Amino acid sequence: MKNYKRLSVSIAFAMVALLFGCKRTVYQRDNPNSLKEVFKDDFFIGTALNINQINKKDAATDSLISIQFNAITAENIMKAKLIHPTWGQFDFDAADKFVEYGKLKDMYIVGHTLIWHSQLPPFVQAITDADSLRQFMELHIHTIGQRYASSVDSWDVVNEALNEDGSWRESVFYELLGEEYIVEAFRKAAEAAPNAALYYNDYNIEQSQKRAGVIRLIKKLQEAGVRIDGVGIQGHWNINNLQLDAIEESIQEYAKLGVKVAITELDLSVLPNPWDLQGADVNQQFKGGLNMDPYADQLPDSVGRLLADSYEQLFRLFLKHRDKISRVTFWGTNDSQSWLNNWPIVGRTNYPLLFDRNNHPKEAFYRIISIKNNLD
Ligand code: XIL
């Protein structure tokens, strides 16, 4: 009898504990398979949107975006060539739709990008004197910055200003205005969009030489008394060459300067790199042979597992430094629309994201989710 009583008390206790346990989980996570839910106390989880996604062409992808992400970046439509095709003539249609999309879904909206040497309209490429270029920068940054001052939460003010050795890239901006152009760009962005977070964005800046260049650049802005809030590490990496130590050191080094770190364009290529190319220079294009496109039919499980391992390691690192990281944005939503199917070789089949060509979560997705679900 005594034993029976003890057993019923234990069962009652176990049931109450179970009930509370379940309630706690339900209370914490409305959807335990949602990235934005799972990481909501850590950092924003973003995706880059192309024009079809902004126009909601595909309902399944649209619903996936709503469930999984709470930040969006314009993949192309805010680049100068598209938004400012001829001097003083702006085309805001797509950009307006983009910010509207983000507002309706209550998302963190990232503008990409104000000053960049690539995807420039021909009229800027044709500028040969400093005054005209200065005028362009002022008009461009003020017009766009002011238009979206109450909707864009963060701007990539300058994109890819440095070479691999940390020296200044010889873009039209540097050639005509010298390194001061960077100070001017941030100063103008702060005037036009006083409430937006202002970021410098670049690839390979986890590598030590280029990182040193970014550190000099940030200090230069700070010494000039101009606001810079963060650094965007693009994060176009490869599963065969993921340099976690360099990434961790960079997050720490940048944070020491008092700026936030965002991973702004994350994707992990699973394909061979021509000439061991690293980085994301959009102007580099190569011709591919058959051996450069080994998974045209499907991704072997073993490679899918390597991708999952890499993503798991990365997210463990990001969580460790969650106090320094503001946002992790994937460069695309599913594998079918990743730019890595066409860069640096056109027409390959790559698998760099967390969702496959049918919008199904891959092993990498569950691995990332389970890190957090197992932590608490
Ligand atoms: C890429 C887009 O994804 C492509 O669609 C486009 O053809 C070229 O640009 N670094 C950046 C992004 O900052 O703007 C680039 O986006 C990828 C590399």
Side-chain angles (χ1 to χ4, degrees), residues 111-141:
H112 174 80
T113 170
L114 291 168
I115 297 296
W116 187 29
H117 66 279
S118 276
Q119 292 179 267
L120 274 177
F123 82 88
V124 181
Q125 286 167 339
I127 294 176
T128 51
D129 67 288
D131 274 352
S132 303
L133 191 61
R134 229 176 261 123
Q135 277 171 29
F136 159 74
M137 279 181 54
E138 173 148 351
L139 176 68
H140 188 77
I141 297 175

Coordinates of all heavy atoms in Angstrom, one line a residue, residues 111-141:
G111 N 19.1 47.9 -46.7 CA 19.4 48.5 -48.0 C 20.8 48.1 -48.5 O 21.8 48.3 -47.8
H112 N 20.9 47.6 -49.7 CA 22.1 47.1 -50.3 C 22.2 47.6 -51.7 O 21.4 47.2 -52.5 CB 22.2 45.6 -50.2 CG 23.4 45.0 -50.8 ND1 24.6 44.9 -50.2 CD2 23.5 44.4 -52.0 CE1 25.5 44.3 -51.0 NE2 24.8 44.0 -52.1
T113 N 23.1 48.5 -52.0 CA 24.1 49.2 -51.3 C 24.3 50.5 -51.9 O 24.0 50.7 -53.1 CB 25.4 48.3 -51.3 OG1 26.5 49.1 -50.8 CG2 25.8 47.9 -52.7
L114 N 24.8 51.5 -51.2 CA 24.8 52.9 -51.7 C 26.0 53.1 -52.6 O 25.9 53.5 -53.8 CB 24.8 53.9 -50.6 CG 23.4 53.9 -49.8 CD1 23.6 54.7 -48.5 CD2 22.3 54.5 -50.7
I115 N 27.2 52.8 -52.1 CA 28.4 53.1 -52.9 C 29.2 51.8 -53.2 O 29.7 51.1 -52.3 CB 29.3 54.1 -52.2 CG1 28.6 55.5 -52.1 CG2 30.6 54.3 -53.0 CD1 28.2 56.2 -53.4
W116 N 29.3 51.4 -54.5 CA 29.9 50.1 -54.9 C 30.5 50.3 -56.3 O 29.8 50.9 -57.1 CB 28.9 49.0 -54.8 CG 29.4 47.6 -55.0 CD1 30.7 47.1 -54.7 CD2 28.7 46.5 -55.6 NE1 30.8 45.8 -55.0 CE2 29.6 45.4 -55.5 CE3 27.4 46.3 -56.1 CZ2 29.2 44.1 -56.0 CZ3 27.1 45.0 -56.5 CH2 28.0 44.0 -56.5
H117 N 31.6 49.7 -56.6 CA 32.2 49.9 -57.9 C 31.5 49.0 -58.9 O 31.7 49.2 -60.1 CB 33.7 49.6 -57.8 CG 34.0 48.1 -57.5 ND1 33.9 47.6 -56.2 CD2 34.2 47.1 -58.3 CE1 34.1 46.3 -56.3 NE2 34.3 46.0 -57.5
S118 N 30.8 48.0 -58.5 CA 30.1 47.1 -59.5 C 28.7 47.5 -59.7 O 28.1 48.1 -58.8 CB 30.2 45.6 -58.9 OG 31.4 45.0 -59.2
Q119 N 28.1 46.9 -60.7 CA 26.7 47.2 -61.1 C 26.4 48.8 -61.0 O 25.4 49.2 -60.4 CB 25.8 46.4 -60.2 CG 25.9 44.9 -60.6 CD 25.0 44.0 -59.7 OE1 25.4 43.4 -58.7 NE2 23.7 43.8 -60.2
L120 N 27.4 49.5 -61.6 CA 27.2 51.0 -61.7 C 26.6 51.3 -63.0 O 26.8 50.6 -64.0 CB 28.6 51.6 -61.6 CG 29.3 52.0 -60.3 CD1 30.6 52.5 -60.5 CD2 28.4 52.9 -59.5
P121 N 25.7 52.4 -63.0 CA 25.2 52.8 -64.3 C 26.3 53.3 -65.2 O 27.3 53.9 -64.7 CB 24.2 53.9 -64.0 CG 24.5 54.3 -62.6 CD 25.3 53.2 -61.9
P122 N 26.1 53.3 -66.5 CA 27.2 53.8 -67.5 C 27.5 55.2 -67.2 O 28.7 55.6 -67.3 CB 26.5 53.6 -68.8 CG 25.4 52.6 -68.7 CD 25.0 52.6 -67.2
F123 N 26.6 56.1 -66.8 CA 26.9 57.5 -66.6 C 27.9 57.7 -65.5 O 28.7 58.6 -65.6 CB 25.6 58.3 -66.4 CG 25.1 58.4 -65.0 CD1 25.5 59.3 -64.1 CD2 24.1 57.5 -64.7 CE1 25.0 59.4 -62.8 CE2 23.5 57.5 -63.4 CZ 24.0 58.5 -62.5
V124 N 27.9 56.8 -64.5 CA 28.9 57.0 -63.4 C 30.3 56.4 -63.9 O 31.3 57.0 -63.6 CB 28.5 56.2 -62.1 CG1 29.5 56.4 -61.0 CG2 27.1 56.7 -61.7
Q125 N 30.2 55.3 -64.7 CA 31.5 54.8 -65.2 C 32.2 55.8 -66.1 O 33.4 55.8 -66.2 CB 31.2 53.5 -66.0 CG 30.9 52.4 -65.0 CD 30.3 51.2 -65.8 OE1 29.8 51.3 -66.9 NE2 30.4 50.0 -65.1
A126 N 31.4 56.7 -66.7 CA 31.9 57.7 -67.7 C 32.5 58.9 -67.0 O 33.1 59.8 -67.6 CB 30.9 58.1 -68.7
I127 N 32.2 59.1 -65.7 CA 32.7 60.3 -65.0 C 34.2 60.3 -64.9 O 34.8 59.3 -64.5 CB 32.1 60.4 -63.6 CG1 30.5 60.6 -63.7 CG2 32.7 61.5 -62.7 CD1 29.8 60.6 -62.3
T128 N 34.8 61.5 -65.2 CA 36.3 61.5 -65.1 C 36.8 62.6 -64.2 O 38.0 62.8 -64.1 CB 36.9 61.7 -66.6 OG1 36.2 62.9 -67.1 CG2 36.7 60.5 -67.4
D129 N 35.9 63.4 -63.6 CA 36.4 64.4 -62.7 C 35.8 64.3 -61.3 O 34.7 63.9 -61.2 CB 36.2 65.8 -63.3 CG 34.7 66.2 -63.4 OD1 34.0 65.5 -64.2 OD2 34.2 67.0 -62.5
A130 N 36.6 64.8 -60.4 CA 36.3 64.6 -59.0 C 35.0 65.4 -58.6 O 34.1 64.8 -57.9 CB 37.4 65.1 -58.1
D131 N 34.8 66.6 -59.1 CA 33.6 67.3 -58.8 C 32.3 66.6 -59.2 O 31.3 66.5 -58.4 CB 33.6 68.7 -59.4 CG 34.4 69.7 -58.6 OD1 34.7 69.3 -57.4 OD2 34.6 70.8 -59.1
S132 N 32.3 66.1 -60.4 CA 31.1 65.4 -60.9 C 30.8 64.1 -60.0 O 29.7 63.8 -59.7 CB 31.2 64.9 -62.3 OG 31.5 66.1 -63.1
L133 N 31.9 63.5 -59.7 CA 31.7 62.2 -58.9 C 31.1 62.6 -57.5 O 30.3 61.9 -56.9 CB 33.0 61.4 -58.8 CG 32.8 60.0 -58.2 CD1 31.9 59.2 -59.1 CD2 34.2 59.3 -58.1
R134 N 31.7 63.7 -56.9 CA 31.2 64.1 -55.6 C 29.7 64.5 -55.7 O 28.9 64.1 -54.8 CB 32.0 65.3 -55.2 CG 32.5 65.2 -53.7 CD 33.4 66.4 -53.3 NE 34.8 66.0 -53.4 CZ 35.7 66.7 -54.2 NH1 35.4 67.7 -54.9 NH2 37.0 66.3 -54.2
Q135 N 29.4 65.2 -56.8 CA 27.9 65.5 -56.9 C 27.1 64.3 -57.1 O 26.0 64.2 -56.5 CB 27.8 66.4 -58.2 CG 28.1 67.8 -58.0 CD 28.1 68.6 -59.4 OE1 27.4 68.2 -60.3 NE2 28.9 69.6 -59.5
F136 N 27.6 63.3 -57.8 CA 26.8 62.1 -58.0 C 26.6 61.4 -56.6 O 25.5 61.1 -56.2 CB 27.5 61.1 -58.9 CG 27.0 59.6 -58.6 CD1 25.8 59.2 -59.1 CD2 27.8 58.7 -57.9 CE1 25.3 57.9 -58.8 CE2 27.3 57.5 -57.6 CZ 26.1 57.1 -58.1
M137 N 27.7 61.3 -55.8 CA 27.6 60.7 -54.5 C 26.5 61.4 -53.6 O 25.7 60.7 -53.0 CB 28.9 60.6 -53.8 CG 29.8 59.5 -54.3 SD 31.4 59.4 -53.5 CE 31.0 59.3 -51.8
E138 N 26.6 62.7 -53.6 CA 25.7 63.4 -52.8 C 24.2 63.2 -53.2 O 23.4 62.9 -52.4 CB 26.1 64.9 -52.8 CG 25.0 65.8 -52.1 CD 25.6 67.0 -51.5 OE1 26.9 67.2 -51.4 OE2 24.9 67.9 -51.0
L139 N 24.0 63.4 -54.5 CA 22.6 63.2 -55.0 C 22.1 61.8 -54.7 O 21.0 61.6 -54.2 CB 22.6 63.5 -56.5 CG 21.3 63.3 -57.2 CD1 20.3 64.3 -56.8 CD2 21.5 63.3 -58.8
H140 N 22.9 60.8 -55.0 CA 22.6 59.4 -54.9 C 22.3 59.1 -53.4 O 21.2 58.5 -53.1 CB 23.7 58.6 -55.4 CG 23.4 57.1 -55.5 ND1 22.7 56.6 -56.5 CD2 23.8 56.1 -54.7 CE1 22.5 55.3 -56.4 NE2 23.2 54.9 -55.3
I141 N 23.2 59.4 -52.5 CA 23.0 59.0 -51.1 C 21.9 59.8 -50.5 O 21.0 59.2 -49.8 CB 24.3 59.1 -50.3 CG1 25.4 58.2 -50.9 CG2 24.1 58.9 -48.9 CD1 26.8 58.4 -50.3

